Amino acid sequence: MGVLGQSIKRREDPRLITGEAKFLDDIQLPGLVHAAILRSPFAHAKIKSINTDQAKAYPGVIGVFTGKDFMDLNPLPCAWAAGGVKNNLNTPRCLEPDRVTHTGMGVAVVVAQDRYIAEDALALIQVDWEPLPVVTDAKKATEPGAPQLHENAPNNIECEWECGDAAATQAALDGADVVIKQTLINQRLIPNSMETRGCAAQYNPASEEYTVWMTSQAPHVMRLLMTAFVFGIPETKMRVISPQVGGGFGTKIYLYPEYVLMAALSKKIGCPVKWSETRRENYIATTHGRDHITDIEIGVNKDGALMGLHVKTYANMGGILSTIAPGIPTTLYGRLLSGPYKIPHIYCHVSNVYTNTAMVDAYRGAGRPEATYVLERAMDLVANELGMDPTAVRRKNFIPSDEFPYTPADNILAGLTYDSGNYTLTLDKALDMLDYTGFRQEQEQARKKDKYLGVGFSSYIELCGVAPSAWIGLPGQGWGAGLWESANIRMHLTGKVVVTTGSQNHGQGHETTMAQIVADQLGIPVEDVLVEHSDTAGAPFGYGSYGSRSGAVGGVAVYRAAERIKEKAKRLAAHMLEANVQDLVYQDGKVMVKGTPAASKTIQEIALASAVGYSLPEGMEPFLDETSYYDPPNCTYPFGTHICVVEVDKHTGSTRILRYVAVDDVGNVINPMIVDGQVHGGIAQGAAQALYEGAVYDDNGTLVSGSLMDYAVPTAHMLPSYETARTVTPSPVNPLGVKGAGETGTIASTPAVVNAVLDALKPFGVKHLDMPLTPEKVWRAMNSNGGKA
Amino acid sequence: MKVTMRVNGQTREADIEPRWLLVHVLREKMGLTGTNVGCDTSQCGACTVLMDGMAVKSCNVLAVQADGADITTIEGLKTDGAYHPVQQAFWDNHGLQCGFCTPGMIMTSIDLLREHDNPSDDTIRRGLEGNLCRCTGYENIVRSVRDAADKM
């Protein structure tokens, strides 16, 4: 049995359980100085003047700078404008020189000998502000008379985007037995990776080279954006390194103003400089997630058959664009609105809207949780309206397992097809684990005792392994580059293997799973494989880790590089064994003559022969060193069914999750322990959206939920234990058969929990509530009918 | 001003301003960067260390308050090259993903197991409520603490 599919312990853990891992803020450099950033207290304002004299005079301060000092640098680029439509792009500068459009934008920076001094001096900077009118709600921002944020964006519209067939969908709705309408608010979330962001930079005047350490999920992309777009210098003049990164959930994909600022400062002041984001800054200056206002109309026949889905969404972009913001609520949301269901006609219109709030960009799941929330709430609304069981509505409309590859209606997936699936199987398995019949009886009994239990379902698909370059790129979905991934494998003279990958590990365990792929392919001990990543000086260009792409794209690049190593090893072994290469097989770490195992060479013997190069076949170069740049032919489509059981306390409105059952199909599994861990964490984040979390701005654009005291990141006793299981439907898209597992939990869990609470509230006549389902909101809903069940 | 404390079994001194927090002295004056800072409001617990055997959030302790104290950080847990049973349990049970909260989680867990040698899952969950993790959904952290309790 190979090492693939085994729950081997993570190889990155020893440094993390001993405190030896070096996160960004742990970086110490000779002569290192510290930066602190003055941020706007206003959500929308002009900067009339900034006086830095007192701050500059403060003992220990090395320099104070404002936006005017960096006008030689370009604004940050937007790397993903929504495809096929006009985008009214506005992006930040490293410090804003004239105007701010959300609280938290940087307007000045202090560099000092230590962080305490830098923070002290911030208080001595005087800014003369001219406050401007504020709008924070995406729908209101498009209405006449709303404050205008950007000259090039009338009515605050970043873009208007659509997919599907408007006329056919309207006809389908007109012909349906029943049409259900609902407004759904997918509230703004604050991602809260436990490590905040940070950046350290050092400039070498002799070589004119920058070295920049940053908390990034995509260091190669950061170097490209910084050098080619912001600094206008050769890409070779900058090295970007992601040290140990403490979680990202999307927020660490992007190029942020502070990274540009630190690199520029390191040259300006002539010594290395570091900025470590405070949690307060993380709340106001790092990207948020979700924030959709959506109106749906779903047409259904009396037998439960879906006929058409019409979706209109206002997606909040924040005050200015983050790196890939416009692509998230368009390509990664609208195109997923068929979910696991056969819907004859679909139309989706999205308005991306500027408001005076923090930038919104991808947050774990990125568009797909929002799409799944729309569909899974819709399924329960349909079930309620028709008096059907929620599982029956889902079952009736599932894409049958013999219809794959499946193309969703009205070209909403823009030419791609779902790879493989068996949706009924995950529902059946989850129902078995739950004992659904038993639960309904228990629920009935409990209601008689004035106890309110509820069960909620969520069947989902995801789009992972982003993405075929030609599909997602400029000719298609608007992404400003490709999305292939790289891997290099070198097998050294001693038989030890070094893998470098363009994927970036910030908690997912790539150093273990990538090693498993190589060890399995080459038939060598996993301990002999070292996985390196996250340094532009050491690895081939790669696009990094997000969108559950590291297995289905990065892992496949590793697999293909290993295949090439095997292929060269066979050619060399043929020379060594004086055999024909066609007669050789690679098995268990050896190349052997078919049917004559005694005539064999181990891969280590071959690596030695290849590395020393004493005797090689004509034309063969020494060394086993192979690189793959793998561009996937399609995305991959994991799926599953999650079931949540809750009890809602009638007297307090508080919800307790009693059971949580998750059956996921992520294709083949490289390391089950790691996949389970990803599912657990994802469920926690999604359930937290359902019950606890929500960013709140007041009318002035001040973030009221602006710290961990005010924003409810759940603790251990606020969450249940999870019951996880899997079905395995390999993906035909790639040779590993993997689909991706990083986001499934987040995508599935939010509607499962909401549906469960609303099921518990059914006796109270409550059909829908918007998240988060706080005790107060639930209690008010239960009591709006006089508290009578 | 000077503070003196015993840190991971060694006497250490630091010359600091009175306002310096214990966590900054550990990280920036003593080079012990295993203790992480995850917030500025004492919610996250990433900075938890043991002070005279009790778990404290070192971002919430002035270094002068720790003058003369005995401090154990994550770097001080291994004995004779062997992991502390709680460290081992976190590794064995996949109790960490990004690992940023892990030093604080481990230190809090040690204190929790000092008070409860056979804690229920509910006791573990309540005992860890001062420590946030965003990756694991706590499932495998609870398993890790349970496993450590069984083995200690």
Side-chain angles (χ1 to χ4, degrees):
Chain A
M1 181 138 176
V3 70
L4 215 58
Q6 301 295 307
S7 287
I8 64 169
K9 281 161 54 177
R10 295 205 321 174
R11 308 172 75 209
E12 37 274 90
D13 286 2
R15 65 177 185 266
L16 292 163
I17 57 174
T18 55
E20 296 302 325
K22 294 293 173 228
F23 292 95
L24 192 285
D25 196 32
D26 302 340
I27 291 171
Q28 292 294 340
L29 299 164
L32 183 72
V33 297
H34 300 265
I37 295 163
L38 184 71
R39 298 184 179 279
S40 169
F42 292 103
H44 195 193
K46 278 185 190 158
I47 302 166
K48 290 164 78 177
S49 66
I50 302 181
N51 185 333
T52 60
D53 293 347
Q54 274 186 288
K56 278 178 178 158
Y58 191 74
V61 168
I62 292 155
V64 184
F65 305 94
T66 69
K68 304 273 190 221
D69 296 312
F70 300 98
M71 296 308 284
D72 55 327
L73 301 177
N74 294 318
L76 279 54
C78 176
W80 195 5
V85 296
K86 180 175 181 285
N87 284 256
N88 302 320
L89 301 177
N90 293 279
T91 56
R93 287 181 170 274
C94 67
L95 290 173
E96 294 306 324
D98 303 314
R99 210 166 57 90
V100 295
T101 50
H102 70 82
T103 57
M105 291 184 98
V107 297
V109 62
V110 174
V111 182
Q113 280 164 0
D114 69 39
R115 288 179 64 177
Y116 284 77
I117 296 169
E119 296 276 348
D120 287 346
L122 282 187
L124 302 174
I125 299 173
Q126 291 136 18
V127 184
D128 190 3
W129 295 100
E130 182 187 328
L132 299 168
V134 167
V135 62
T136 62
D137 177 287
K139 200 170 177 180
K140 286 181 186 157
T142 63
E143 291 168 359
Q148 300 292 297
L149 272 64
H150 300 284
E151 267 178 27
N152 69 352
N155 302 315
N156 299 310
I157 298 292
E158 186 279 320
C159 78
E160 302 277 12
W161 181 93
E162 61 180 3
C163 68
D165 188 327
T169 302
Q170 191 54 54
L173 293 178
D174 292 345
D177 291 342
V178 181
V179 175
I180 299 159
K181 297 182 183 185
Q182 181 66 50
T183 298
L184 299 168
I185 309 287
N186 202 302
Q187 84 272 32
R188 176 181 286 247
L189 300 178
I190 301 177
N192 275 299
S193 59
M194 290 319 300
E195 182 204 31
T196 57
R197 291 185 300 115
C199 183
Q202 184 164 31
Y203 181 72
N204 182 333
S207 61
E208 301 178 320
E209 286 171 8
Y210 299 85
T211 304
V212 187
W213 293 261
M214 61 171 81
T215 48
S216 177
Q217 298 175 224
H220 293 273
V221 179
M222 293 305 101
R223 176 172 75 159
L224 174 68
L225 297 181
M226 295 253 280
T227 55
F229 292 87
V230 181
F231 283 77
I233 58 172
E235 208 179 333
T236 48
K237 290 294 181 188
M238 187 177 285
R239 174 183 178 188
V240 173
I241 302 165
S242 290
Q244 190 80 41
V245 177
F249 310 113
T251 63
K252 291 175 181 168
I253 301 170
Y254 323 119
L255 181 60
Y256 284 92
E258 299 88 355
Y259 305 165
V260 172
L261 183 60
M262 290 309 118
L265 281 173
S266 70
K267 184 178 180 184
K268 218 178 247 303
I269 59 179
C271 57
V273 58
K274 182 167 78 176
W275 164 76
S276 293
E277 188 183 54
T278 64
R279 181 60 62 183
R280 170 65 181 159
E281 287 180 294
N282 183 259
Y283 270 74
I284 58 178
T286 291
T287 53
H288 295 175
R290 319 279 189 259
D291 204 347
H292 286 194
I293 301 169
T294 295
D295 291 311
I296 65 165
E297 289 179 67
I298 187 156
V300 59
N301 281 350
K302 284 193 174 133
D303 62 356
L306 303 175
M307 302 308 290
L309 174 66
H310 185 286
V311 175
K312 163 69 198 175
T313 293
Y314 295 87
N316 200 330
M317 297 278 102
I320 202 151
L321 293 179
S322 170
T323 311
I324 63 171
I328 305 304
T330 51
T331 293
L332 289 182
Y333 166 73
R335 301 210 176 282
L336 277 297
L337 279 170
S338 193
Y341 306 111
K342 213 170 168 170
I343 306 177
H345 292 289
I346 302 172
Y347 174 73
C348 172
H349 182 274
V350 179
S351 301
N352 282 352
V353 184
Y354 291 107
T355 70
N356 297 113
T357 58
M359 296 184 288
V360 180
D361 207 325
Y363 167 51
R364 197 174 195 174
R368 293 150 289 177
E370 296 91 318
T372 303
Y373 186 71
V374 163
L375 284 166
E376 291 310 288
R377 282 300 299 128
M379 292 307 126
D380 270 28
L381 292 167
V382 166
N384 266 342
E385 186 70 28
L386 300 180
M388 288 176 72
D389 189 279
T391 63
V393 176
R394 287 170 171 83
R395 208 180 280 281
K396 177 157 187 79
N397 291 288
F398 277 154
I399 298 158
S401 60
D402 59 1
E403 290 194 24
F404 290 88
Y406 177 79
T407 306
D410 296 337
N411 196 34
I412 65 157
L413 200 47
L416 297 185
T417 56
Y418 293 0
D419 56 351
S420 60
N422 191 338
Y423 304 152
T424 309
L425 199 61
T426 62
L427 175 61
D428 287 340
K429 188 162 184 166
L431 289 172
D432 271 357
M433 286 167 70
L434 176 72
D435 178 16
Y436 186 40
T437 315
F439 170 79
R440 286 294 186 199
Q441 288 162 359
E442 188 188 341
Q443 181 183 41
E444 202 47 50
Q445 293 303 315
R447 278 177 186 166
K448 288 176 188 158
K449 295 176 194 157
D450 214 18
K451 273 181 69 170
Y452 297 92
L453 306 180
V455 62
F457 299 89
S458 172
S459 294
Y460 72 94
I461 61 129
E462 195 194 350
L463 175 147
C464 286
V466 288
S469 296
W471 179 77
I472 201 150
L474 289 172
Q477 301 305 307
W479 175 272
L483 263 184
W484 42 262
E485 196 49 87
S486 65
N488 171 267
I489 300 180
R490 281 161 288 148
M491 191 151 191
H492 288 261
L493 178 149
T494 53
K496 307 298 177 193
V497 172
V498 177
V499 180
T500 54
T501 168
S503 300
Q504 198 283 328
N505 178 20
H506 47 287
Q508 298 91 336
H510 298 158
E511 290 160 46
T512 307
T513 50
M514 300 286 190
Q516 285 179 266
I517 293 170
V518 173
D520 182 75
Q521 271 292 295
L522 299 184
I524 60 175
V526 73
E527 296 75 22
D528 285 357
V529 185
L530 174 70
V531 178
E532 295 182 334
H533 55 87
S534 299
D535 183 344
T536 59
F541 186 96
Y543 282 98
S545 288
Y546 38 86
S548 301
R549 67 190 302 273
S550 299
V553 190
V556 178
V558 168
Y559 174 92
R560 286 162 64 107
E563 273 192 321
R564 288 174 191 171
I565 294 275
K566 282 163 67 174
E567 198 270 326
K568 184 171 179 181
K570 271 166 79 172
R571 284 192 289 122
L572 178 50
H575 175 75
M576 295 164 79
L577 293 165
E578 298 181 350
N580 282 323
V581 73
Q582 301 93 299
D583 297 332
L584 300 181
V585 286
Y586 195 109
Q587 201 181 313
D588 301 329
K590 289 180 197 145
V591 180
M592 61 183 81
V593 177
K594 272 178 224 165
T596 317
S600 68
K601 291 287 173 190
T602 66
I603 184 65
Q604 290 84 0
E605 289 171 314
I606 299 166
L608 175 61
S610 180
V612 296
Y614 299 157
S615 173
L616 300 173
E618 186 68 27
M620 179 182 280
E621 293 180 351
F623 219 80
L624 297 178
D625 180 341
E626 298 291 338
T627 300
S628 166
Y629 292 89
Y630 171 69
D631 197 355
N634 189 0
C635 297
T636 53
Y637 304 83
F639 58 92
T641 297
H642 287 205
I643 306 179
C644 179
V645 174
V646 300
E647 179 176 351
V648 177
D649 186 316
K650 190 190 172 192
H651 304 290
T652 64
S654 67
T655 296
R656 196 156 62 92
I657 299 177
L658 302 178
R659 285 186 70 188
Y660 195 97
V661 174
V663 179
D664 297 289
D665 193 320
V666 298
N668 288 335
V669 170
I670 297 168
N671 184 320
M673 174 193 80
I674 287 178
V675 169
D676 282 343
Q678 290 291 314
V679 171
H680 296 157
I683 294 169
Q685 276 171 318
Q689 171 171 23
L691 295 179
Y692 307 123
E693 297 182 20
V696 179
Y697 280 93
D698 69 12
D699 291 342
N700 298 318
T702 299
L703 183 65
V704 178
S705 57
S707 78
L708 277 168
M709 286 191 294
D710 310 292
Y711 183 89
V713 171
T715 58
H717 74 87
M718 294 160 76
L719 291 165
S721 183
Y722 320 105
E723 302 163 55
T724 60
R726 268 187 290 281
T727 62
V728 177
T729 308
S731 173
V733 170
N734 61 66
L736 285 170
V738 298
K739 291 196 167 193
E743 298 163 297
T744 56
T746 324
I747 288 166
S749 59
T750 306
V753 176
V754 170
N755 286 341
V757 174
L758 288 162
D759 184 55
L761 298 187
K762 216 171 170 184
F764 299 87
V766 181
K767 286 185 179 165
H768 179 74
L769 290 173
D770 285 316
M771 303 179 289
L773 301 177
T774 56
E776 181 191 343
K777 194 181 286 178
V778 170
W779 184 88
R780 284 186 191 282
M782 291 172 107
N783 286 277
S784 60
N785 189 27
K788 289 206 174 58
Chain B
M1 63 181 295
K2 270 210 167 100
V3 288
T4 306
M5 54 191 91
R6 202 161 165 77
V7 182
N8 299 333
Q10 295 181 329
T11 302
R12 303 287 296 265
E13 278 186 9
D15 194 8
I16 54 159
E17 287 181 64
R19 62 177 175 169
W20 272 61
L21 300 170
L22 175 59
V23 67
H24 290 145
V25 171
L26 292 170
R27 288 178 52 81
E28 289 175 34
K29 302 288 182 187
M30 299 177 182
L32 294 168
T33 55
T35 303
N36 293 323
V37 179
C39 74
D40 35 28
T41 50
S42 76
Q43 256 73 41
C44 82
C47 65
T48 305
V49 299
L50 299 182
M51 182 164 147
D52 297 327
M54 309 257 287
V56 297
K57 292 180 178 179
S58 61
C59 76
N60 233 17
V61 176
L62 291 167
V64 293
Q65 292 175 285
D67 193 33
D70 192 274
I71 305 290
T72 306
T73 71
I74 190 75
E75 290 95 338
L77 287 184
K78 269 173 105 172
T79 44
D80 302 328
Y83 294 123
H84 186 283
V86 177
Q87 286 176 306
Q88 185 68 46
F90 271 70
W91 191 16
D92 292 346
N93 293 279
H94 192 28
L96 60 147
Q97 290 182 28
C98 85
F100 193 81
C101 76
T102 307
M105 280 288 176
I106 288 175
M107 302 316 280
T108 302
S109 300
I110 289 170
D111 195 26
L112 190 150
L113 293 174
R114 184 180 58 80
E115 289 190 41
H116 308 272
D117 56 7
N118 186 23
S120 67
D121 283 3
D122 189 58
T123 302
I124 295 169
R125 285 178 183 273
R126 298 232 167 238
L128 295 177
E129 72 177 353
N131 292 68
L132 295 175
C133 169
R134 196 58 156 168
C135 294
T136 65
Y138 303 104
E139 180 78 27
N140 288 345
I141 291 177
V142 175
R143 278 185 209 171
S144 300
V145 179
R146 174 83 257 151
D147 184 37
D150 290 344
K151 288 179 178 153
M152 277 168 79

